[in-house]
C-alpha cells in the first residue's frame, strides 16, 4: 500500500494559497497544515480550506512532526528557508527560483545551490523545485519524442521568458510592492535584478528535454535607453532588462534562452523550438508545429499521464500545478528523488549565474558549474 504523507504549506500569498487545495485533495496526503507570519492570511486560508492545523511562522512549523514543507514565500527567502526546513527533518518543495540573491551576485546564487545539495546529502531529506515549465504540455511532449529518438540528434533547444515589467496581467512593480510591503517609489529605488537570476522558466527547458547540462555560455545584455528601473544606482546595480544566452550542453547540443523584462509582448514562458537532425518542433502562441524535411503540421502536444481524480480539476501555468504536487507527493511517499531534484534545479540556476557573468563581460565565454547527476 502507498504511504500517506503529511505536509505544511508555508507562505499563503497569491501563489501559495492556490497550492493548498491541491495538496489537500491529493490522495496520498493524509494530513495538511498551513503557515504564514501574516495572521490575516493564515486565518483566512485555514477557514477557506477548512484546515485546523496552523503555524505562525517557519520556525514554529519546523518544530512539528510533519514530513514535508512546501516553501512558497518571497523569492529571495527560498534557499535559507529550504535549508532550515531540511535541517529540521522536513522534505522540501520550493517555489521557483532556488533563490534570487538580493546582492545581485551570481556567486551567491551558486553558493546557495551548493549549500542545498550539501544539506540534502547531510540530512537525507529530499528537495524539489516547483518549476512549472517542466510540466508544461509542450515540454513533456518534446521529452517524450526525444525519448523515442524522433528528433534524430537534438542540435538546439530554445526557450524564453518574456514578461514585461509593466505587463498589465502581472505588473512586476506591483508584485514587488506586494512581496516587500514597500511603496511604488521605494520599489523603483530598489531597482530590478538581473533577468538571468530568474532564468529558471527558460533554462529548465533545454536541461529537462535533453537530460544534459550546460558546460559553457556566452550572453549579452540589453539596456533600454533611459530605463528608470534597471539602473546602476540600485540594490543590485543591474542595468540589463533583457539578457540572451547561448550555451553548449554536455551532450553536444546547444541551448539558447531569452529573459526579457522590457518587451512588447503579451507574455510567454515556454519552449520555443527544438531543432533536431531528423525533425523539429516549433511552439508558437497559436500552437505547436512538428516538421520533418517533407511536411510541417500542427500537432496536439498534450501527452501527460492521467492525474489522480481529486486533483485533475486544478490548473495553473499550462496545467502544471497539479503535476508538480503529484510528483513531489509521490516522490516523498516512495522515498525516491523528485524529478526536479536539488541537482536538477542547480543546473537551471547555474546557467543563469554564468550567463549574467558573461553579459557583464560583454559576452565572454564562461564555464557553467555543475554538481553532477541526481543520485539514486
Ligand atoms: N510560475 C511560477 O512558478 C511562479 C509564479 C508566481 C509566483 N511564484 C513564486 O511563488 C512565491 C510566492 O509568490 P507570492 O506572489 O505568493 O508571494 P507573496 O509575497 O504574496 O507571499 C509570500 C508569503 O510568504 C509569507 N512568509 C514569508 N516569510 C515567512 C515565514 N518565515 N514563515 C511563514 N510565512 C512566511 C509572507 O507573509 C507572504 O504571505 C515567489 O517566490 C514566486 O517566485 C512562482
Amino acid at each position: 500500500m502507498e504511504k500517506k504523507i503529511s505536509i505544511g504549506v508555508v507562505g499563503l500569498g497569491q501563489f501559495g494559497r492556490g497550492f493548498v487545495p491541491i495538496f489537500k485533495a491529493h490522495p496520498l496526503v493524509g494530513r495538511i497544515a498551513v503557515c504564514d507570519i501574516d495572521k490575516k492570511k493564515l486565518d483566512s486560508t485555514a477557514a477557506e480550506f477548512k484546515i485546523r492545523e496552523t503555524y505562525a511562522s517557519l520556525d514554529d512549523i519546523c518544530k512539528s512532526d510533519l514530513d514535508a514543507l512546501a516553501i512558497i514565500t518571497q523569492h529571495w527567502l527560498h534557499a535559507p528557508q529550504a535549508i532550515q526546513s531540511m535541517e529540521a527533518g522536513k522534505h522540501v518543495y520550493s517555489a521557483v527560483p532556488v533563490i534570487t540573491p538580493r546582492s545581485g551576485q551570481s556567486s551567491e546564487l551558486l553558493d546557495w545551490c551548493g549549500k542545498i545539495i550539501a544539506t540534502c546529502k547531510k540530512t537525507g531529506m529530499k528537495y524539489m523545485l516547483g518549476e512549472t515549465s517542466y510540466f508544461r504540455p509542450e515540454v513533456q511532449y518534446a521529452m517524450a519524442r526525444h525519448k523515442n529518438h524522433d528528433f534524430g540528434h537534438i542540435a538546439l533547444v530554445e526557450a524564453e521568458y518574456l514578461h514585461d515589467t509593466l505587463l498589465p496581467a502581472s505588473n512586476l512593480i506591483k508584485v514587488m510592492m506586494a512581496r516587500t510591503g514597500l511603496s511604488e517609489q521605494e520599489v523603483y529605488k530598489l531597482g530590478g535584478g538581473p533577468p538571468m537570476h530568474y532564468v529558471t522558466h527558460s533554462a529548465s527547458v533545454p536541461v529537462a528535454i535533453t537530460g544534459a547540462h550546460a558546460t559553457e555560455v556566452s550572453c549579452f545584455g540589453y539596456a533600454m535607453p533611459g530605463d528608470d528601473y534597471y539602473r546602476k544606482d540600485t540594490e543590485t546595480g543591474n542595468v540589463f532588462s533583457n539578457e540572451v544566452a547561448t550555451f553548449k550542453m554536455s551532450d553536444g547540443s546547444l541551448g539558447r534562452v531569452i529573459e526579457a523584462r522590457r518587451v512588447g509582448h503579451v507574455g510567454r514562458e515556454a519552449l520555443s523550438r527544438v531543432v533536431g537532425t531528423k525533425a523539429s518542433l516549433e511552439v508558437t502562441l497559436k500552437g505547436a508545429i512538428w516538421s520533418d524535411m517533407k511536411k510541417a503540421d500542427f500537432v496536439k502536444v498534450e501527452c501527460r499521464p492521467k492525474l489522480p481524480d481529486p486533483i485533475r480539476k486544478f490548473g495553473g501555468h499550462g496545467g502544471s500545478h497539479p503535476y508538480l504536487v503529484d510528483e513531489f507527493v509521490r516522490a516523498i511517499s516512495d522515498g525516491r528523488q523528485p524529478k526536479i531534484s536539488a541537482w536538477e534545479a542547480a543546473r537551471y540556476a547555474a546557467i543563469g549565474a554564468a550567463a549574467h557573468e558573461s553579459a557583464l563581460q560583454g559576452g565572454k565565454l564562461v564555464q557553467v558549474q555543475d554538481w553532477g547527476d541526481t543520485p539514486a
Side-chain angles (χ1 to χ4, degrees):
M1 210 176 72
E2 290 175 304
K3 179 180 164 257
K4 291 206 175 198
I5 70 159
S6 54
I7 186 157
V9 180
V10 183
L12 306 170
Q14 242 192 339
F15 200 59
R17 203 180 172 108
F19 277 82
V20 172
I22 318 180
F23 277 114
K24 185 169 185 235
H26 197 287
L28 289 180
V29 172
R31 174 180 149 209
I32 185 163
V34 285
C35 168
D36 203 296
I37 46 176
D38 182 325
K39 192 169 169 3
K40 257 195 187 160
K41 287 184 194 167
L42 181 62
D43 291 347
S44 66
T45 310
E48 182 179 351
F49 300 110
K50 301 188 175 46
I51 293 171
R52 271 182 305 192
E53 190 173 341
T54 62
Y55 295 89
S57 70
L58 177 67
D59 290 348
D60 270 3
I61 202 167
C62 277
K63 292 180 202 140
S64 73
D65 65 348
L66 290 159
D67 298 319
L69 299 180
I71 308 285
I72 315 186
T73 56
Q74 288 91 332
H75 49 274
W76 56 91
L77 300 174
H78 296 165
Q81 291 184 341
I83 290 170
Q84 179 184 348
S85 306
M86 288 193 281
E87 295 279 7
K90 317 288 174 214
H91 300 291
V92 167
Y93 172 99
S94 168
V96 298
V98 171
I99 193 166
T100 304
R102 291 190 66 164
S103 65
Q105 297 296 316
S106 299
S107 55
E108 192 190 332
L109 177 52
L110 296 172
D111 280 352
W112 283 115
C113 290
K115 281 182 191 161
I116 290 173
I117 289 170
T119 311
C120 287
K121 285 185 185 163
K122 187 178 94 178
T123 62
M125 294 294 118
K126 312 274 191 297
Y127 168 100
M128 171 171 153
L129 185 73
E131 178 42 68
T132 43
S133 292
Y134 189 98
F135 283 107
R136 279 181 179 271
E138 64 275 15
V139 175
Q140 289 285 314
Y141 178 80
M143 284 163 86
R145 298 232 40 184
H146 181 44
K147 210 171 160 193
N148 212 29
H149 307 290
D150 294 338
F151 288 109
H153 292 288
I154 288 183
L156 171 72
V157 179
E158 292 181 338
E160 58 201 26
Y161 182 33
L162 311 180
H163 188 146
D164 191 83
T165 302
L166 304 178
L167 192 71
S170 177
N171 179 313
L172 295 179
I173 304 296
K174 291 196 175 132
V175 167
M176 277 305 278
M177 287 165 69
R179 288 191 190 155
T180 55
L182 297 174
S183 68
E184 184 171 356
Q185 204 186 8
E186 288 164 329
V187 167
Y188 269 98
K189 193 157 178 249
L190 217 54
M196 279 292 161
H197 285 183
Y198 201 102
V199 77
T200 182
H201 293 319
S202 62
S204 56
V205 174
V207 176
I209 292 174
T210 61
H213 61 92
T215 55
E216 49 194 338
V217 59
S218 170
C219 177
F220 287 97
Y222 165 77
M224 186 175 83
D227 202 315
D228 55 354
Y229 190 50
Y230 302 93
R231 311 180 316 269
K232 201 97 208 114
D233 62 323
T234 61
E235 191 178 45
T236 63
N238 169 59
V239 299
F240 298 136
S241 58
N242 301 5
E243 294 182 298
V244 179
T246 305
F247 40 93
K248 216 168 171 177
M249 304 285 289
S250 55
D251 65 351
S253 65
L254 301 176
R256 193 171 83 107
V257 296
I258 303 174
E259 287 289 327
R261 305 292 176 265
R262 294 293 190 197
V263 50
H265 196 277
V266 288
R268 185 164 195 263
E269 50 185 71
L271 161 65
S272 34
R273 179 178 282 109
V274 181
V275 177
T277 52
K278 269 174 34 185
S280 302
L281 178 71
E282 270 176 84
V283 184
T284 73
L285 283 178
K286 304 280 184 193
I289 300 163
W290 181 266
S291 174
D292 59 22
M293 284 176 228
K294 292 187 193 132
K295 58 181 174 35
D297 286 316
F298 279 103
V299 278
K300 196 173 151 281
V301 290
E302 184 57 86
C303 70
R304 295 175 293 192
K306 269 197 175 168
L307 288 163
D309 276 341
I311 63 167
R312 212 171 285 166
K313 66 177 177 202
F314 296 103
H317 293 89
S320 62
H321 295 188
Y323 285 94
L324 287 166
V325 167
D326 191 48
E327 170 59 15
F328 180 68
V329 170
R330 280 184 197 285
I332 302 313
S333 169
D334 295 350
R336 64 167 169 84
Q337 286 290 347
K339 287 179 180 155
I340 319 171
S341 69
W343 288 261
E344 171 86 3
R347 286 182 165 169
Y348 310 161
I351 291 173
H356 185 60
E357 283 316 293
S358 169
L360 290 175
Q361 298 173 65
K364 191 181 152 194
L365 207 58
V366 173
Q367 301 298 308
V368 181
Q369 192 165 341
D370 189 56
W371 288 264
D373 291 336
T374 304

